[in-house]
Amino acid sequence: MAESGVKVSLGSGGTRIELECEHQSGVLYTVPGEMSWVCTPEMLHAHALAGFMRELVKLESPAVEALMQRWGVYYRERPVTAQAAGDAEEGASEA
């Protein structure tokens, strides 16, 4: 396991994200989905997780908010960098 407790492994069909510490262990998988067509396979995991978290937070669900607060997990959307935005626009025009 990576020193940080997070190991990202890119595969041909998706990404495997291993999460482990001395108290918890799990694997998170990202695979191509309805909203990931715009992103490269190498960045699919970042795209999927950022999009998922953005939509999860926008639900404004008290249960989700309480669970996130309980575990100390917070998400704040940030502006997309110019390079990433240009790549996304280029990919959209090719589709």
Side-chain angles (χ1 to χ4, degrees):
M1 180 57 54
E3 283 185 35
S4 67
V6 178
K7 178 181 176 185
V8 177
S9 303
L10 300 177
S12 60
T15 303
R16 176 183 167 109
I17 304 168
E18 298 175 58
L19 308 166
E20 187 172 7
C21 73
E22 60 187 81
H23 309 102
Q24 304 273 356
S25 182
V27 180
L28 181 63
Y29 298 93
T30 59
V31 297
E34 176 184 343
M35 296 301 289
S36 64
W37 63 269
V38 70
C39 210
T40 65
E42 299 80 21
M43 296 305 290
L44 177 97
H45 58 288
H47 180 82
L49 290 173
F52 176 81
M53 290 302 297
R54 182 188 71 229
E55 289 192 25
L56 186 65
V57 168
K58 282 185 179 180
L59 290 175
E60 296 183 359
S61 162
V64 170
E65 290 172 8
L67 190 59
M68 290 177 70
Q69 188 173 31
R70 177 180 174 189
W71 284 98
V73 175
Y74 299 91
Y75 181 78
R76 178 175 51 92
E77 189 174 1
R78 300 186 310 180
V80 177
T81 62
Q83 176 63 41
D87 292 346
E89 290 173 11
E90 184 178 305
S93 66
E94 293 174 0

Coordinates of all heavy atoms in Angstrom, one line a residue:
M1 N 0.8 -1.2 0.0 CA 0.0 0.0 0.0 C 0.9 1.2 0.0 O 1.9 1.2 0.6 CB -0.9 0.0 1.2 CG -1.9 1.1 1.4 SD -3.0 1.5 0.0 CE -3.9 0.0 -0.2
A2 N 0.4 2.3 -0.6 CA 1.2 3.5 -0.7 C 1.3 4.1 0.7 O 0.5 3.9 1.6 CB 0.4 4.5 -1.6
E3 N 2.4 4.9 0.9 CA 2.6 5.5 2.2 C 1.4 6.4 2.7 O 1.2 6.5 3.8 CB 3.9 6.3 2.2 CG 5.1 5.5 2.3 CD 6.4 6.4 2.4 OE1 6.3 7.4 3.0 OE2 7.4 6.0 1.8
S4 N 0.7 7.0 1.7 CA -0.4 7.8 2.0 C -1.7 7.1 2.4 O -2.6 7.7 2.8 CB -0.7 8.8 0.9 OG -1.2 8.0 -0.2
G5 N -1.7 5.8 2.2 CA -2.8 5.0 2.4 C -3.8 4.9 1.2 O -4.8 4.3 1.2
V6 N -3.4 5.6 0.1 CA -4.2 5.6 -1.1 C -3.3 5.1 -2.3 O -2.2 5.7 -2.5 CB -4.7 7.0 -1.4 CG1 -5.5 7.0 -2.7 CG2 -5.6 7.5 -0.2
K7 N -3.8 4.1 -3.0 CA -3.0 3.6 -4.1 C -4.0 3.6 -5.3 O -5.0 3.0 -5.3 CB -2.5 2.2 -3.9 CG -1.8 1.6 -5.1 CD -1.3 0.2 -4.7 CE -0.6 -0.5 -5.9 NZ -0.3 -1.9 -5.7
V8 N -3.6 4.3 -6.4 CA -4.4 4.4 -7.6 C -3.7 3.5 -8.7 O -2.6 3.7 -9.0 CB -4.5 5.9 -8.1 CG1 -5.3 6.0 -9.4 CG2 -5.1 6.8 -7.0
S9 N -4.5 2.6 -9.2 CA -4.1 1.7 -10.3 C -4.9 1.9 -11.5 O -6.2 1.6 -11.5 CB -4.1 0.3 -9.8 OG -3.4 0.1 -8.7
L10 N -4.3 2.3 -12.6 CA -5.1 2.5 -13.9 C -5.1 1.2 -14.6 O -4.1 0.5 -14.7 CB -4.4 3.5 -14.7 CG -4.3 5.0 -14.2 CD1 -3.6 5.8 -15.2 CD2 -5.7 5.5 -13.9
G11 N -6.3 0.8 -15.1 CA -6.5 -0.4 -15.8 C -7.1 -0.1 -17.2 O -7.4 1.0 -17.5
S12 N -7.3 -1.1 -18.0 CA -7.8 -0.9 -19.3 C -9.3 -0.6 -19.3 O -9.8 0.1 -20.2 CB -7.6 -2.1 -20.2 OG -8.2 -3.3 -19.6
G13 N -10.0 -1.0 -18.3 CA -11.5 -0.7 -18.2 C -11.9 0.3 -17.2 O -13.0 0.6 -17.1
G14 N -10.9 0.7 -16.4 CA -11.3 1.7 -15.3 C -10.1 1.8 -14.4 O -9.0 1.5 -14.7
T15 N -10.4 2.3 -13.2 CA -9.4 2.6 -12.2 C -9.8 2.0 -10.9 O -10.9 2.0 -10.5 CB -9.3 4.2 -12.0 OG1 -8.9 4.7 -13.3 CG2 -8.2 4.5 -11.0
R16 N -8.8 1.5 -10.2 CA -8.9 0.9 -8.9 C -8.2 1.8 -7.9 O -7.0 2.1 -8.0 CB -8.3 -0.5 -8.9 CG -8.3 -1.2 -7.6 CD -7.6 -2.6 -7.8 NE -7.3 -3.2 -6.6 CZ -7.9 -4.3 -6.1 NH1 -8.8 -4.9 -6.9 NH2 -7.5 -4.8 -5.0
I17 N -8.9 2.2 -6.8 CA -8.4 3.1 -5.8 C -8.5 2.3 -4.5 O -9.5 2.1 -4.0 CB -9.1 4.4 -5.7 CG1 -9.1 5.1 -7.1 CG2 -8.5 5.3 -4.7 CD1 -10.1 6.3 -7.2
E18 N -7.3 1.9 -4.0 CA -7.2 1.2 -2.7 C -7.0 2.2 -1.6 O -6.2 3.1 -1.7 CB -6.1 0.2 -2.8 CG -6.2 -0.8 -3.9 CD -5.0 -1.7 -4.0 OE1 -4.7 -2.4 -2.9 OE2 -4.4 -1.8 -5.0
L19 N -7.8 2.0 -0.6 CA -7.8 2.9 0.6 C -7.5 2.0 1.8 O -8.3 1.1 2.1 CB -9.1 3.6 0.8 CG -9.7 4.3 -0.4 CD1 -11.1 4.7 -0.3 CD2 -8.8 5.5 -0.7
E20 N -6.4 2.3 2.6 CA -6.1 1.5 3.7 C -5.3 2.2 4.8 O -4.4 3.0 4.5 CB -5.3 0.2 3.2 CG -5.1 -0.8 4.3 CD -4.4 -2.1 3.8 OE1 -4.0 -2.1 2.6 OE2 -4.3 -3.0 4.6
C21 N -5.7 1.9 6.0 CA -5.0 2.4 7.2 C -5.0 1.2 8.1 O -5.5 0.1 7.8 CB -5.5 3.6 7.8 SG -7.1 3.4 8.7
E22 N -4.5 1.4 9.3 CA -4.5 0.2 10.3 C -5.9 -0.1 10.8 O -6.1 -1.1 11.4 CB -3.5 0.5 11.4 CG -3.9 1.7 12.2 CD -2.8 2.1 13.3 OE1 -1.8 2.7 12.9 OE2 -3.0 1.7 14.4
H23 N -6.9 0.8 10.5 CA -8.3 0.6 11.1 C -9.3 0.3 10.0 O -10.4 -0.2 10.3 CB -8.7 1.8 11.9 CG -7.7 2.2 12.9 ND1 -6.9 3.3 12.7 CD2 -7.4 1.7 14.1 CE1 -6.1 3.4 13.8 NE2 -6.4 2.5 14.6
Q24 N -9.0 0.7 8.8 CA -10.0 0.5 7.7 C -9.3 0.1 6.4 O -8.2 0.4 6.2 CB -10.7 1.9 7.4 CG -11.4 2.6 8.6 CD -12.8 2.1 8.7 OE1 -13.4 1.4 8.0 NE2 -13.4 2.6 9.8
S25 N -10.1 -0.6 5.6 CA -9.5 -1.0 4.3 C -10.7 -1.2 3.3 O -11.7 -1.8 3.6 CB -8.7 -2.3 4.4 OG -8.2 -2.7 3.2
G26 N -10.5 -0.7 2.1 CA -11.5 -0.8 1.0 C -11.0 -0.5 -0.3 O -9.8 0.0 -0.5
V27 N -11.7 -0.8 -1.3 CA -11.4 -0.5 -2.7 C -12.5 0.2 -3.4 O -13.7 -0.1 -3.2 CB -11.1 -1.8 -3.5 CG1 -10.7 -1.5 -5.0 CG2 -10.0 -2.6 -2.9
L28 N -12.2 1.3 -4.1 CA -13.2 2.1 -4.8 C -12.8 1.9 -6.3 O -11.7 2.0 -6.7 CB -13.0 3.6 -4.4 CG -14.0 4.6 -5.0 CD1 -15.4 4.3 -4.7 CD2 -13.6 6.0 -4.5
Y29 N -13.8 1.6 -7.1 CA -13.6 1.4 -8.5 C -14.3 2.5 -9.3 O -15.4 2.9 -9.0 CB -14.2 0.1 -9.0 CG -13.6 -1.1 -8.4 CD1 -14.1 -1.7 -7.2 CD2 -12.5 -1.7 -8.9 CE1 -13.6 -2.8 -6.6 CE2 -11.9 -2.8 -8.3 CZ -12.4 -3.3 -7.2 OH -11.9 -4.4 -6.6
T30 N -13.6 3.0 -10.4 CA -14.3 3.9 -11.3 C -14.2 3.3 -12.7 O -13.1 2.8 -13.1 CB -13.7 5.3 -11.3 OG1 -12.3 5.3 -11.7 CG2 -13.9 6.0 -10.0
V31 N -15.3 3.3 -13.4 CA -15.4 2.7 -14.8 C -16.1 3.8 -15.6 O -16.8 4.6 -15.1 CB -16.1 1.4 -14.8 CG1 -15.3 0.3 -14.0 CG2 -17.5 1.5 -14.3
P32 N -16.0 3.7 -16.9 CA -16.7 4.6 -17.8 C -18.2 4.6 -17.5 O -18.8 3.6 -17.3 CB -16.4 4.1 -19.2 CG -15.1 3.4 -19.1 CD -15.1 2.7 -17.7
G33 N -18.8 5.8 -17.4 CA -20.2 5.9 -17.1 C -20.8 7.0 -18.0 O -20.1 7.6 -18.8
E34 N -22.1 7.2 -17.8 CA -22.8 8.2 -18.6 C -22.2 9.6 -18.7 O -22.2 10.2 -19.7 CB -24.2 8.3 -18.0 CG -25.1 9.3 -18.7 CD -26.5 9.4 -18.0 OE1 -26.9 8.5 -17.2 OE2 -27.2 10.4 -18.2
M35 N -21.6 10.0 -17.6 CA -21.1 11.4 -17.5 C -19.5 11.4 -17.8 O -19.0 12.5 -17.7 CB -21.4 12.0 -16.2 CG -22.9 12.2 -16.0 SD -23.7 13.2 -17.2 CE -23.0 14.8 -16.8
S36 N -18.9 10.3 -18.1 CA -17.5 10.3 -18.2 C -17.0 10.4 -19.6 O -15.8 10.3 -19.8 CB -16.9 9.1 -17.5 OG -17.3 7.9 -18.1
W37 N -17.8 10.5 -20.6 CA -17.4 10.4 -22.0 C -16.4 11.5 -22.3 O -15.6 11.4 -23.2 CB -18.6 10.5 -22.9 CG -19.4 11.8 -22.8 CD1 -20.4 12.0 -21.9 CD2 -19.1 13.0 -23.5 NE1 -20.8 13.3 -22.1 CE2 -20.1 13.9 -23.0 CE3 -18.2 13.4 -24.5 CZ2 -20.1 15.2 -23.5 CZ3 -18.3 14.7 -25.0 CH2 -19.2 15.6 -24.5
V38 N -16.5 12.6 -21.7 CA -15.7 13.8 -22.0 C -14.3 13.7 -21.5 O -13.4 14.4 -22.0 CB -16.4 15.1 -21.4 CG1 -16.3 15.1 -19.9 CG2 -15.8 16.3 -22.0
C39 N -14.0 12.7 -20.6 CA -12.7 12.7 -20.0 C -11.8 11.6 -20.6 O -12.3 10.5 -21.0 CB -12.8 12.5 -18.5 SG -11.5 13.2 -17.5
T40 N -10.5 11.7 -20.5 CA -9.5 10.7 -21.0 C -9.5 9.6 -20.0 O -9.8 9.8 -18.8 CB -8.1 11.3 -21.1 OG1 -7.7 11.6 -19.7 CG2 -8.0 12.5 -22.0
P41 N -9.2 8.3 -20.4 CA -9.2 7.2 -19.5 C -8.2 7.4 -18.3 O -8.5 7.0 -17.2 CB -8.7 6.1 -20.4 CG -9.1 6.4 -21.8 CD -9.0 7.9 -21.8
E42 N -7.1 8.1 -18.5 CA -6.1 8.4 -17.5 C -6.7 9.3 -16.4 O -6.2 9.3 -15.3 CB -4.9 9.0 -18.1 CG -4.1 8.1 -19.1 CD -4.8 8.2 -20.5 OE1 -5.5 9.2 -20.8 OE2 -4.5 7.3 -21.3
M43 N -7.7 10.1 -16.7 CA -8.2 11.0 -15.7 C -9.7 10.7 -15.3 O -10.3 11.5 -14.6 CB -8.1 12.5 -16.3 CG -6.7 13.0 -16.5 SD -5.7 12.8 -15.0 CE -6.4 14.1 -14.0
L44 N -10.1 9.6 -15.8 CA -11.5 9.2 -15.5 C -11.8 9.2 -14.0 O -12.9 9.6 -13.6 CB -11.8 7.8 -16.1 CG -13.2 7.3 -15.8 CD1 -14.1 7.6 -17.0 CD2 -13.2 5.8 -15.6
H45 N -10.9 8.6 -13.2 CA -11.2 8.5 -11.8 C -11.4 9.9 -11.2 O -12.3 10.1 -10.3 CB -10.1 7.7 -11.1 CG -8.7 8.3 -11.2 ND1 -8.0 8.2 -12.4 CD2 -7.9 8.9 -10.4 CE1 -6.8 8.8 -12.3 NE2 -6.7 9.2 -11.0
A46 N -10.5 10.9 -11.5 CA -10.6 12.2 -11.0 C -11.9 12.9 -11.4 O -12.7 13.5 -10.6 CB -9.4 13.1 -11.4
H47 N -12.3 12.7 -12.7 CA -13.5 13.3 -13.3 C -14.7 12.7 -12.6 O -15.6 13.4 -12.1 CB -13.6 12.9 -14.8 CG -14.8 13.4 -15.5 ND1 -14.9 14.8 -15.9 CD2 -15.9 12.8 -15.8 CE1 -16.1 14.9 -16.5 NE2 -16.7 13.7 -16.4
A48 N -14.8 11.3 -12.4 CA -15.9 10.7 -11.9 C -16.1 11.0 -10.4 O -17.2 11.3 -9.9 CB -15.8 9.2 -12.0
L49 N -15.0 11.0 -9.6 CA -15.1 11.3 -8.2 C -15.5 12.8 -7.9 O -16.3 13.1 -7.1 CB -13.8 10.9 -7.5 CG -13.6 9.4 -7.4 CD1 -12.2 9.1 -6.8 CD2 -14.7 8.8 -6.6
A50 N -14.9 13.7 -8.7 CA -15.2 15.1 -8.5 C -16.7 15.4 -8.9 O -17.4 16.1 -8.2 CB -14.3 16.0 -9.3
G51 N -17.1 14.8 -10.0 CA -18.5 14.9 -10.4 C -19.5 14.3 -9.4 O -20.5 14.9 -9.1
F52 N -19.1 13.1 -8.9 CA -20.0 12.4 -8.0 C -20.1 13.3 -6.7 O -21.2 13.5 -6.2 CB -19.4 11.1 -7.6 CG -20.1 10.3 -6.6 CD1 -21.3 9.6 -6.9 CD2 -19.7 10.3 -5.2 CE1 -22.0 9.0 -5.9 CE2 -20.4 9.7 -4.3 CZ -21.6 9.0 -4.6
M53 N -19.0 13.7 -6.2 CA -19.0 14.5 -4.9 C -19.7 15.8 -5.2 O -20.5 16.3 -4.3 CB -17.6 14.8 -4.5 CG -16.8 13.6 -3.9 SD -17.7 12.7 -2.5 CE -17.7 14.0 -1.3
R54 N -19.6 16.5 -6.3 CA -20.3 17.7 -6.6 C -21.8 17.5 -6.5 O -22.5 18.2 -5.9 CB -19.9 18.3 -7.9 CG -20.6 19.6 -8.3 CD -20.3 20.0 -9.7 NE -21.1 19.2 -10.6 CZ -20.6 18.6 -11.7 NH1 -19.3 18.8 -12.0 NH2 -21.3 17.8 -12.4
E55 N -22.3 16.4 -7.2 CA -23.7 16.1 -7.2 C -24.2 15.7 -5.8 O -25.3 16.0 -5.4 CB -24.0 15.1 -8.3 CG -23.9 15.6 -9.7 CD -24.5 14.7 -10.7 OE1 -25.4 13.9 -10.4 OE2 -24.0 14.8 -11.9
L56 N -23.4 14.9 -5.1 CA -23.8 14.4 -3.8 C -24.0 15.6 -2.8 O -25.0 15.7 -2.1 CB -22.7 13.5 -3.2 CG -23.0 12.8 -1.9 CD1 -24.2 11.8 -2.0 CD2 -21.8 12.1 -1.4
V57 N -23.1 16.6 -2.8 CA -23.2 17.7 -2.0 C -24.4 18.6 -2.4 O -25.1 19.1 -1.5 CB -21.8 18.5 -2.0 CG1 -22.0 19.9 -1.4 CG2 -20.7 17.7 -1.3
K58 N -24.6 18.7 -3.7 CA -25.8 19.5 -4.2 C -27.1 18.9 -3.8 O -28.1 19.6 -3.8 CB -25.7 19.7 -5.7 CG -24.7 20.7 -6.1 CD -24.7 21.0 -7.6 CE -23.7 22.1 -8.0 NZ -23.7 22.3 -9.4
L59 N -27.2 17.7 -3.4 CA -28.4 17.1 -2.9 C -28.9 17.8 -1.6 O -30.1 17.8 -1.3 CB -28.2 15.6 -2.6 CG -28.1 14.7 -3.8 CD1 -27.8 13.2 -3.3 CD2 -29.3 14.7 -4.7
E60 N -28.0 18.4 -0.9 CA -28.3 19.0 0.4 C -29.1 18.1 1.3 O -30.0 18.6 1.9 CB -29.0 20.4 0.1 CG -28.1 21.4 -0.6 CD -28.7 22.7 -0.8 OE1 -29.8 22.9 -0.4 OE2 -28.0 23.6 -1.4
S61 N -28.7 16.9 1.3 CA -29.4 15.9 2.1 C -28.9 15.9 3.6 O -27.6 15.8 3.8 CB -29.2 14.5 1.6 OG -29.4 13.5 2.5
P62 N -29.7 16.1 4.6 CA -29.2 16.1 5.9 C -28.5 14.8 6.3 O -27.5 14.9 7.0 CB -30.5 16.3 6.8 CG -31.5 17.0 5.8 CD -31.2 16.4 4.5
A63 N -29.0 13.7 5.8 CA -28.3 12.4 6.1 C -26.9 12.4 5.5 O -25.9 12.0 6.1 CB -29.1 11.3 5.5
V64 N -26.7 12.9 4.3 CA -25.4 12.9 3.6 C -24.5 13.9 4.3 O -23.4 13.6 4.6 CB -25.5 13.2 2.1 CG1 -24.2 13.5 1.5 CG2 -26.2 12.1 1.4
E65 N -25.1 15.1 4.6 CA -24.3 16.1 5.4 C -23.8 15.6 6.7 O -22.6 15.8 7.1 CB -25.1 17.4 5.5 CG -25.3 18.1 4.2 CD -26.2 19.3 4.3 OE1 -26.7 19.6 5.4 OE2 -26.6 19.8 3.2
A66 N -24.7 14.9 7.4 CA -24.3 14.3 8.8 C -23.2 13.3 8.6 O -22.3 13.2 9.4 CB -25.6 13.8 9.5
L67 N -23.4 12.4 7.6 CA -22.4 11.3 7.4 C -21.0 11.9 7.1 O -20.0 11.5 7.6 CB -22.9 10.4 6.3 CG -22.1 9.1 6.2 CD1 -22.1 8.3 7.4 CD2 -22.7 8.3 5.0
M68 N -21.0 12.9 6.2 CA -19.8 13.5 5.8 C -19.1 14.2 7.0 O -17.9 14.1 7.2 CB -20.0 14.5 4.6 CG -20.3 13.8 3.3 SD -20.7 15.0 2.0 CE -19.1 15.7 1.7
Q69 N -19.9 14.9 7.8 CA -19.4 15.6 9.0 C -18.9 14.6 10.0 O -17.8 14.7 10.6 CB -20.5 16.5 9.6 CG -19.9 17.3 10.7 CD -20.9 18.3 11.2 OE1 -22.1 18.0 11.2 NE2 -20.5 19.5 11.7
R70 N -19.6 13.5 10.1 CA -19.2 12.4 11.1 C -17.8 11.9 10.7 O -16.9 11.6 11.6 CB -20.2 11.3 11.1 CG -19.8 10.1 11.9 CD -20.9 9.0 11.8 NE -20.4 7.9 12.6 CZ -21.0 6.7 12.6 NH1 -22.1 6.5 11.9 NH2 -20.5 5.7 13.3
W71 N -17.5 11.7 9.4 CA -16.2 11.2 9.0 C -15.2 12.3 8.6 O -14.1 12.0 8.3 CB -16.4 10.3 7.8 CG -17.0 8.9 8.2 CD1 -18.3 8.6 8.2 CD2 -16.3 7.9 8.8 NE1 -18.5 7.3 8.7 CE2 -17.2 6.9 9.1 CE3 -15.0 7.6 9.1 CZ2 -16.9 5.6 9.7 CZ3 -14.6 6.4 9.7 CH2 -15.6 5.5 10.0
G72 N -15.6 13.5 8.7 CA -14.6 14.6 8.4 C -14.3 14.7 7.0 O -13.2 15.0 6.6
V73 N -15.3 14.4 6.1 CA -15.1 14.5 4.7 C -15.9 15.7 4.2 O -17.1 15.8 4.4 CB -15.6 13.2 4.0 CG1 -15.5 13.3 2.5 CG2 -14.8 12.0 4.5
Y74 N -15.2 16.6 3.5 CA -15.8 17.8 2.9 C -15.4 17.9 1.5 O -14.3 17.5 1.1 CB -15.4 19.0 3.7 CG -15.8 18.9 5.2 CD1 -15.0 18.3 6.1 CD2 -17.1 19.3 5.6 CE1 -15.4 18.2 7.4 CE2 -17.5 19.2 6.9 CZ -16.6 18.6 7.8 OH -17.0 18.5 9.1
Y75 N -16.2 18.5 0.7 CA -15.9 18.7 -0.7 C -16.3 20.1 -1.1 O -17.4 20.6 -0.8 CB -16.7 17.7 -1.6 CG -16.4 17.9 -3.1 CD1 -15.3 17.4 -3.6 CD2 -17.3 18.6 -3.9 CE1 -14.9 17.6 -4.9 CE2 -17.0 18.8 -5.2 CZ -15.8 18.3 -5.7 OH -15.5 18.5 -7.1
R76 N -15.4 20.8 -1.8 CA -15.6 22.1 -2.3 C -15.2 22.1 -3.8 O -14.1 21.8 -4.1 CB -14.8 23.1 -1.5 CG -14.9 24.6 -2.0 CD -14.2 25.5 -1.1 NE -12.8 25.2 -0.9 CZ -11.8 25.6 -1.7 NH1 -12.0 26.4 -2.7 NH2 -10.5 25.2 -1.3
E77 N -16.2 22.5 -4.6 CA -15.9 22.6 -6.1 C -15.0 23.8 -6.3 O -15.1 24.8 -5.7 CB -17.2 22.8 -6.8 CG -17.1 22.7 -8.3 CD -18.5 22.7 -9.0 OE1 -19.5 22.8 -8.3 OE2 -18.5 22.6 -10.2
R78 N -14.0 23.6 -7.2 CA -13.1 24.7 -7.6 C -13.2 25.0 -9.1 O -13.7 24.1 -9.8 CB -11.7 24.3 -7.3 CG -11.4 24.0 -5.8 CD -10.0 23.8 -5.5 NE -9.4 22.8 -6.4 CZ -8.1 22.4 -6.4 NH1 -7.3 22.9 -5.5 NH2 -7.6 21.5 -7.2
P79 N -12.8 26.1 -9.5 CA -12.8 26.4 -10.9 C -11.8 25.4 -11.6 O -10.8 25.0 -11.1 CB -12.2 27.8 -11.0 CG -12.4 28.4 -9.7 CD -12.3 27.3 -8.7
V80 N -12.2 25.1 -12.8 CA -11.3 24.2 -13.7 C -10.2 25.0 -14.2 O -10.4 26.1 -14.7 CB -12.2 23.5 -14.8 CG1 -11.3 22.7 -15.7 CG2 -13.3 22.7 -14.2
T81 N -9.0 24.4 -14.2 CA -7.9 25.2 -14.8 C -8.0 25.3 -16.3 O -8.7 24.5 -16.9 CB -6.5 24.4 -14.5 OG1 -6.6 23.1 -15.2 CG2 -6.3 24.2 -13.0
A82 N -7.4 26.3 -16.9 CA -7.5 26.6 -18.3 C -7.1 25.4 -19.2 O -7.8 25.1 -20.1 CB -6.7 27.8 -18.7
Q83 N -6.0 24.7 -18.8 CA -5.6 23.6 -19.6 C -6.6 22.5 -19.6 O -6.9 21.9 -20.6 CB -4.2 23.0 -19.0 CG -3.7 21.8 -19.7 CD -3.4 22.0 -21.2 OE1 -2.9 23.0 -21.6 NE2 -3.8 21.0 -22.0
A84 N -7.1 22.1 -18.4 CA -8.1 21.1 -18.3 C -9.4 21.4 -19.1 O -10.0 20.6 -19.7 CB -8.4 20.8 -16.9
A85 N -9.8 22.7 -19.0 CA -11.0 23.1 -19.7 C -10.8 23.1 -21.2 O -11.7 22.6 -21.9 CB -11.4 24.6 -19.2
G86 N -9.7 23.4 -21.7 CA -9.4 23.4 -23.1 C -9.4 21.9 -23.6 O -9.9 21.6 -24.7
D87 N -8.8 21.0 -22.8 CA -8.8 19.6 -23.2 C -10.2 19.1 -23.3 O -10.6 18.3 -24.1 CB -8.0 18.8 -22.2 CG -6.5 19.1 -22.2 OD1 -6.1 19.7 -23.2 OD2 -5.8 18.7 -21.3
A88 N -11.1 19.5 -22.3 CA -12.5 19.0 -22.3 C -13.2 19.5 -23.5 O -14.0 18.8 -24.1 CB -13.2 19.4 -21.0
E89 N -13.0 20.8 -23.8 CA -13.7 21.3 -25.0 C -13.2 20.7 -26.3 O -14.0 20.4 -27.2 CB -13.4 22.9 -25.1 CG -14.1 23.6 -24.0 CD -13.7 25.1 -24.0 OE1 -13.1 25.6 -25.0 OE2 -14.1 25.8 -23.0
E90 N -11.9 20.4 -26.4 CA -11.4 19.7 -27.5 C -12.0 18.3 -27.7 O -12.4 17.9 -28.7 CB -9.9 19.6 -27.4 CG -9.2 19.0 -28.6 CD -7.7 18.9 -28.5 OE1 -7.1 20.0 -28.2 OE2 -7.1 17.8 -28.6
G91 N -12.1 17.6 -26.6 CA -12.7 16.3 -26.6 C -14.2 16.3 -27.0 O -14.7 15.4 -27.7
A92 N -14.9 17.3 -26.5 CA -16.3 17.5 -26.8 C -16.5 17.7 -28.3 O -17.5 17.2 -28.9 CB -17.0 18.6 -26.0
S93 N -15.6 18.5 -28.9 CA -15.8 18.8 -30.3 C -15.5 17.7 -31.2 O -15.9 17.6 -32.4 CB -14.9 20.0 -30.7 OG -13.6 19.7 -30.6
E94 N -14.7 16.7 -30.7 CA -14.3 15.5 -31.5 C -15.4 14.4 -31.4 O -15.4 13.6 -32.2 CB -13.0 14.9 -31.0 CG -11.8 15.8 -31.2 CD -10.5 15.3 -30.6 OE1 -10.6 14.3 -29.9 OE2 -9.5 16.0 -30.7
A95 N -16.3 14.5 -30.4 CA -17.3 13.5 -30.2 C -18.4 13.6 -31.1 O -18.7 14.5 -31.8 CB -17.8 13.6 -28.7

